Amino acid sequence: MGAHPNVRVRELLDSYDHADACAAYLLCDRHPAEDVAFTVIDEDLSAVDLTYGELRERSRRCAAALAGLGVGPGDRVATLMAKSADLVVVLLGLWRCGAVHVPLFTAFAPPAIAFRLRASDTSVVVADPDQAVKLAPGGDLPADPPWQTIVAGDTALPGALRLDDLLAAAGAAAPPAIVGGDGLLVQLFTSGTTGTPKGVPIPVRALAAFHAYQEFALDVRPEDVFWNAADPGWAYGLYYAILGPLVSGTRSLLLHAGFAPELTWRVLERFGVTNFAAAPTVYRSLRAAGPAGTPIRLRRASSAGEPLTPEVVAWSADALGVAVRDHYGQTEHGMVICNAWHDDLNVEAPGGSMGRSLPGWECAVLADDADTEALPGQLGRIAIDTERSALLWFLGYLDAPEQSASRYTADGRWYLTGDAGYRDPEGFFHFSARDDDVVIMAGYRIGPFEVESVLVLHDAVAEAAVVGLPDELRGEVLEAFVVLRGGIDGTEALASELQTLVKKKFAAHAYPRRVHFVSTLPKTPSGKVQRYLLRQQGRVAAG
């Protein structure tokens, strides 16, 4: 099966972590021109193969067009785009210029978009036509923005350029930029769990870790029909539905449509998917919808974003032909602990386990009261050993030294994930809780702070706190606890207003499913909201 995993880690680092590293070469140009990079599928199941040769030529024109707009090494180029051939072309085009990609999730509302554009100092935004309206001047976006806007289609947005026109008029592209292993590839923002979202700088050398996950954990092989259903506006989709397939040169499916369980079943069947990765919510939705047509028989099935529940694992073994496996990671590192599929790592893991550290990573559970490893079975803090993790690439948040320092132990040895769990005597990790109060709904990490910040914009709201509560389909859903200003009554109409406000001011997927009107919020003496008490209240209210 090839080199030993530890030897393979070294090979990958040698490929991606050196002074002459060129993103365009590593992600596209080194692969045979006739090989298929992506099969792009529309909602009606019509499909088009996109080869590396086509990607090379189209992304060269895109790079020339971007360079004509003044984009160069280090400049930020944002995308507000769904999964499509245009998205891949734009990404490779900006990387040919040496620019840095700023992903924007298509469910974001204008305020969330505006924050990320300003915080990253974005110079160009490329948007789908149905997303371009979010960039129109208004309360959140300036009439004379410091960024240029390109639309991948027809648009009425004043001042916007059409991508097709730019590509048609583009001249010869300059040679692709060489930025080195430390050169930035992506600036992705965290979910804002304890404050405003922080910028995560992703260097070219991180491609070694993404490639390793593709091989070790997912076990994607040349003969596979691979499909990662995650959205590239978030880390798991960007890292492993776009970057992982590109660096490994393996064909992948890209569905240009929103998620629907019936459509997912049809794609799995029609295209003969053998290797599938998605959030637990996708598997739960497939289970609820029931299979359609010919039975699906996957070779590999993987899940990430939140813990898997036993009933989903049991169901998948029968319905999909293989028991789905849990994988664990973070925006700051990618995947680090997995029930891996690679033949050299494939072992029977105990139920409920996340697996073991992947090759190239060394993880542990630290005691709560000391920066030493906890005993087997003892609940503690899940951490990454910075001295023994060869694939480690995250070195701190952009322009946030205090927040960066807080993620490490005093001696710098351990990176603290903010998650709690334990490791059993056989070395398998088990997730217990998140101690940063992040809510994971349908695989998306949602920071309470951003939602709360929107809720308190309403004139009727004095205070607000948001927590995640268990949900059979989505894993968790957001519920809000709201203290109203004096003389105002909590009504269903007001609750609906607050939900709509979050949809408009933050993101369509992140609105609280229930709004509880309360007289006070439980707090510590120092004034910190005691979210665990709110979660208890929510469970009682749910019966």
Side-chain angles (χ1 to χ4, degrees), residues 139-158:
D140 303 298
L141 289 109
D144 185 22
W147 54 80
Q148 299 179 83
T149 301
I150 301 172
V151 180
D154 294 329
T155 179
L157 185 67

Side-chain angles (χ1 to χ4, degrees), residues 68-429:
L69 296 177
V71 173
D75 289 334
R76 269 54 173 175
V77 176
T79 59
L80 186 59
M81 306 173 74
K83 293 168 280 188
S84 65
D86 281 340
L87 172 63
V88 182
V89 168
V90 169
L91 293 182
L92 287 171
L94 70 90
W95 287 325
R96 286 186 186 280
C97 296
V100 181
H101 176 220
V102 179
L104 300 172
F105 185 37
T106 53
F108 279 148
I113 293 168
F115 169 82
R116 287 158 177 80
L117 293 179
R118 292 191 182 99
S120 61
D121 195 22
T122 287
S123 59
V124 172
V125 186
V126 187
D128 286 335
D130 62 339
Q131 294 289 323
V133 65
K134 297 179 181 178
L135 300 171
D140 303 298
L141 289 109
D144 185 22
W147 54 80
Q148 299 179 83
T149 301
I150 301 172
V151 180
D154 294 329
T155 179
L157 185 67
L161 305 170
R162 290 181 75 253
L163 180 63
D164 288 346
D165 293 342
L166 292 173
L167 296 181
I178 295 174
V179 299
D182 290 333
L184 288 193
L185 191 71
V186 178
Q187 181 175 336
L188 186 60
F189 283 86
T190 64
S191 303
T193 59
T194 56
T196 54
K198 299 177 286 295
V200 177
I202 302 168
V204 171
R205 58 187 163 85
L207 294 174
F210 302 159
H211 195 157
Y213 174 73
Q214 203 82 0
E215 290 188 10
F216 295 145
L218 298 176
D219 189 36
V220 180
R221 302 181 185 181
E223 65 272 18
D224 270 328
V225 178
F226 174 64
W227 183 23
N228 182 336
D231 192 291
W234 295 93
Y236 192 71
L238 178 62
Y239 297 172
Y240 306 118
I242 301 292
L243 291 171
L246 286 175
V247 293
S248 59
T250 51
R251 171 185 174 234
S252 177
L253 304 186
L254 207 59
L255 179 61
H256 184 54
F259 171 73
E262 295 79 8
L263 178 59
T264 302
W265 275 120
R266 290 163 58 203
V267 172
L268 290 168
E269 178 186 346
R270 175 75 64 87
F271 293 89
V273 175
T274 60
N275 196 320
F276 184 57
T281 299
V282 171
Y283 292 101
R284 287 194 292 267
S285 297
L286 292 175
R287 177 173 176 252
T294 306
I296 304 300
R297 287 294 177 264
L298 300 177
R299 189 179 70 84
R300 301 287 189 246
S302 306
S303 175
E306 56 189 285
L308 279 171
T309 49
E311 68 272 13
V312 172
V313 177
W315 164 84
S316 64
D318 178 62
L320 303 177
V322 63
V324 61
R325 290 190 175 182
D326 199 8
H327 296 168
Y328 168 84
Q330 295 191 315
T331 298
E332 292 89 341
H333 302 282
M335 310 310 287
V336 296
I337 298 172
C338 299
N339 286 305
W341 283 111
H342 188 283
D343 284 347
D344 292 341
L345 305 169
N346 192 347
V347 296
E348 191 70 27
S353 166
M354 302 187 298
R356 290 171 169 161
S357 300
L358 283 177
W361 297 95
E362 190 63 42
C363 302
V365 174
L366 303 184
D368 284 332
D369 55 356
D371 294 335
T372 56
E373 292 193 44
L375 296 174
Q378 180 183 351
L379 190 65
R381 299 167 293 161
I382 299 173
I384 299 171
D385 189 336
T386 64
E387 296 178 0
R388 299 172 61 197
S389 296
L391 290 174
L392 183 76
W393 52 264
F394 176 73
L395 297 178
Y397 302 110
L398 289 172
D399 303 319
E402 292 184 4
Q403 292 92 330
S404 299
S406 69
R407 301 310 297 259
Y408 296 88
T409 54
D411 60 2
R413 166 74 183 276
W414 299 99
Y415 173 90
L416 304 173
T417 65
D419 292 326
Y422 67 92
R423 185 159 56 170
D424 64 28
E426 288 71 43
F428 292 97
F429 288 81

Side-chain angles (χ1 to χ4, degrees), residues 493-515:
L494 179 55
S496 180
E497 281 185 35
L498 295 174
Q499 291 170 327
T500 300
L501 184 65
V502 173
K503 292 178 185 178
K504 290 183 176 180
K505 290 293 187 180
F506 176 50
H509 70 294
Y511 74 93
R513 264 50 181 188
R514 289 210 298 177
V515 177

Side-chain angles (χ1 to χ4, degrees), residues 507-532:
H509 70 294
Y511 74 93
R513 264 50 181 188
R514 289 210 298 177
V515 177
H516 306 269
F517 295 108
V518 295
S519 58
T520 59
L521 297 177
K523 297 179 181 178
T524 65
S526 63
K528 183 178 180 181
V529 175
Q530 295 173 302
R531 298 179 190 275
Y532 74 97

